[in-house]
Amino acid sequence: HSRSGNGRVIMELTFMAQLVWLARDDIKRETGCKDVLGDLEAFLKVYPKMSSPQELIQCEKELKSVVSCFNISSRLRINDTASWPRSELQARLGSLPPPQTPCDYVHEEYGWWGFGQFSKKKEWLGHGVWWKHMPADAKKGSLENAAGNASNDYDVMEDKFQKLKKASVICADYELLRQDFPELYSLDNAKIDQWLLNNTAYLSEGQIERLSKGGDHADKLGMKDGDLDDYIDKNDKTSAIRIRSGGRAATFFAGKTYRFIKNQLVAKMIDVKGVGTHKLADISHPKVTGLLNLADALREIMIQRLIQRLIELEGLEHKVNTVKFYGIVDTGLQYKGKNPATGWENERCVLTLRQRNSRILDGYEGFNFSGVCPEQVIKTGPGRELRRLLVKYGVSAEFFPRALLYNTEDTDGVAMASNATTGILDDLAGTWNLQSDATGANMMDFTDYYVLPKAPLPPQWRMSEKALSDALCLERTPFVKIAMSSPALMKRVYGGKSDKKEAEQWYSERLAALSKDPKMKEAAIKINKETGKIEPFKPKFCMCWFMELDDSKMSIWAMKTAKDFEKSGESKIDILAHIDDSLPVSRVSNPPLQTFPTRGKEVLPAFLSAPILPDSQSALVPENVYHSGWEPKTKQKCPYGNKFLSMTPAEIGRGTYKLLISCIVPRPIALVSTVSAKGVRNLAPYSYFGAMNHNPPTVCFSPCRNRNGNEKDGFDKDTLRNIKETGEFVLHIMSKWFVDVANFSCGSFLPGEDEFELSGATPIPSTKVKAPRVEEAAIQLECKLAALHEIKDDDGLVKATMVIGNILVFHINEGVYDKNTQTVDAAKLQPISRMGGNTYGQTAGMFDLPRPDRKVN
């Protein structure tokens, strides 16, 4: 298509045509599409006869009319356009929706108001996953490629990306890659590296023009005549999706393939940042380089992994998540001198690879600034939960961190009761820079985060007190006034001064001293010519001085690692291991209720200084007896009233898993050992498990198929594959004393890896089956396969397989066996059960309850 000169248009029309052809019967049945049936018939008449995609231009108008009407009527329509997250969107497109494609085209008036151009609010789609077509006659500067105002931007199916010859993988999250792309499951890391380069190591046509002779970046990267051929393979080209407000990023189709399932385009996608600007982008601002430096890439990845770890420690994955990174690729390109986007010297240019993503659009009248969540979004839902989490751990992405006004002398973390609904959660005056996908539930772009000095996190993440003090000397005047109005904060950051006049004097002297520092002057936007002092304003390259002056050990590590790489050019760095070793390993509990000091005019939230519940309601104490004195026919009412949410699995979508496992609790955990036909051992836990019968003794557990973030199907887990091969397994009950060993076996290990060896579980021989037993388990049940039952979705895809087995031998540790009753003593067994999320349960507060026709012995 590219050779025809209109490759972009042809590709976009091709996507639309394929959708309409496959969905033609659904479109005919859709009552909202009756006005476009004539256009549909016109298209269906000529499409089968076309010999070239270029012929689609002849019916472009009719095709767009049909696609838009179908999308508006049903395919992209959601009913709840006010709540966050957009649960209907998640149900339709998955918990992490892909970016919009040409299949998602709608006439623009149904997508947003266009600053008064359009008035279709009642017909608004309710989200941002719709294709904003770029006019065929678009001129240079039409695209705002600065990751800025999406309303000034377009969605583009961009062709002519060209291969980077000298690209190499710096680091990669191989576990995540294998999880999201099952075809990588059996490949070693070196082959996965090559797969990544084959699918992502490209530079845009527009950026190549900028690096070519006469381009604005040729000299900056030291390109001379003919040099570009050493870096770019012009014969290896591909296409990608550049969504509006996507900046220097584009989404590539891994394997260059896609398909349709139930009228939805399904593809394996990778979002790549640093691929350069579009040839029609507005590049008038010097900071719009289109390229990405390694230090910024490292900073963003380390913050994303920190936030994701905190989410997991708090068990909030069912409420909010992050868009995860697959790795970093070195482009082979390097600045020769100063990078105009950062002010740093001789930086290497890299690509960051992350999961596919979309962009938020909060309302019909709203406009999207680079995916930033407006106030009305972060006040509720996932945005509120993330802010609750961040302030608890002393992390901020604000222009001014308001936690400094709510903290204690000991910590910058503001931990709140789980039922807290006011106070700092409603204080949005710091202006958060949180960015999310179209659902509002998946956070992304972590370049503007920083960690306060007394945050309850490992010390390597915290900025110093000096950096905080200097930031509040250089920041905007309103922020300085806020700090001065809070006696405790004033004393903390302005030289320990309790007197306001003395603090103001100290502030003035410190600002004068900072204004003489060449580094500060370089970072400042403006210097007062008369006083020589830095003008109070944001820094030149960051959103605030807190981020600019962040001197945490992790930030220093990112800078040093980038500098060392620029000098050495090493092809591989153990980046992710260093970051993961620095992450917190345990959650911070809400601290005891305290009396907080007065903060000037500040009114502290009531829940921070008063008990949450009366003492009589402060805890749920397990009872060892049932309701004594209860008589038949006496009603036992639910304490929470009688209002119910009624939802079908289709309405819940991918959230069904998290809801189901939080409903069916507690669930016993089966630790299942198997061996393959080739003798490779496997060990894994399953909580979809139970006893089915006693004669014959029968158990059942259900392995779901291995999930893939980019596909709707998957593949058998090792446990199921081994049982299919051998017809045998050993089932163990998980107990408290070896819960860590058992839990570790659930990792995403390769088929040839032995979980016994990796976890530390001790294998001992079985008596009837080949699979080994786990010595640490007090209950070991040797089983033979009785039946397999496949569980399929509406499309006929297998989602799980129920394994039914007959018990051949019971192995019961004598220490938990009661010879008198010939049963297992649950108190001694200490069984562990699975609850919702990452929560596990222990058996406590047990009691006897007789059947109606029996008495308790």
Side-chain angles (χ1 to χ4, degrees), residues 762-780:
T762 306
I764 57 176
S766 296
T767 59
K768 298 286 187 181
V769 302
K770 293 181 179 179
R773 292 179 284 149
V774 176
E775 185 177 40
E776 291 80 0
I779 296 179
Q780 308 156 1

Side-chain angles (χ1 to χ4, degrees), residues 336-371:
K336 309 300 181 184
K338 185 181 294 186
N339 178 348
T342 64
W344 298 328
E345 302 280 338
N346 304 321
E347 290 188 297
R348 291 291 281 266
C349 302
V350 301
L351 308 173
T352 53
L353 319 179
R354 61 184 174 181
Q355 293 175 315
R356 68 193 192 179
N357 56 80
S358 53
R359 291 278 172 167
I360 195 167
L361 185 61
D362 68 292
Y364 187 72
E365 291 88 356
F367 89 102
N368 174 297
F369 183 82
S370 191

